[in-house]
Amino acid sequence: MEKELLIRHLIQNGYLSSKEVIDAMREVPREIFVPESMKKHAYDDTPLEIGYGQTISAPHMVAIMSEALNLKRNSKVLEIGTGTGYHAAVTAKIVKDGHVYTVERIEKLAEEARKNFEKIGIENVTVVVGDGSVGLPEYSPFDRIYATCAAPAVPPRLIEQLSEGGKMLIPVGGRICDLILIEKRNGITEKNLGGCAFVPMIGEEGFDG
Ligand code: SAH
């Protein structure tokens, strides 16, 4: 599939609706975030192998999560699980005047992501190597937090690092999991957005490595 067909497919299936998210997905070239051998599949709506047993998220999942987070132009965002950086790049395009902090536990992937952001001139992303299951307290609070790996339960420290009025999206369960939307406004509300599949979050508040 080519990029424009993919975008049309995502709109027709109801995954994409807001101008900001559509523009961001149009602007980010997914092919640079996938290995050479996968480039011909860059605009297929599926996850693809990126090495180290990890995958680049499917475009529809990036679309669903970007829409559900209701990102603002100036949002300060925390992503857990950078991979090669595709989702963070889409987020960075939406939060043009904001910033994305993204944590990746596999150093080689973090390095690759940094190179990818440089290649396409994205400057509002900071990649940190470490265990994102405990968040990034030194940069908190965040207006939005999302994880692209599945945790056994919602890590309490991530909720602490969410600002008042903030939203968080996190897959909870095993490889087959539920996408949970959390809102922090006079307390915490949780909504299950439905089933999904993600690689596991490995770490202190995640699964054993
Ligand atoms: N956001 C990526 C998805 C990559 S897959 C994209 O746009 O395609 C999820 C990533 O989460 C993997 O690279 C994996 O190494 C990473 N991960 C798993 N547990 C983690 C943790 N505790 N902290 C940081 N990264 C983690």
Side-chain angles (χ1 to χ4, degrees), residues 50 54-57 62 79-88 103-106 109 130-133 146 148-149 199-203:
I50 54 171
Q54 309 303 325
T55 51
I56 176 172
S57 296
V62 174
E79 177 188 67
I80 299 143
T82 318
T84 55
Y86 175 66
H87 194 159
V103 192
E104 173 55 55
R105 58 181 285 271
I106 299 172
L109 285 174
D131 174 11
S133 74
Y146 66 91
T148 64
C149 41
V199 296
M201 182 184 281
I202 310 287

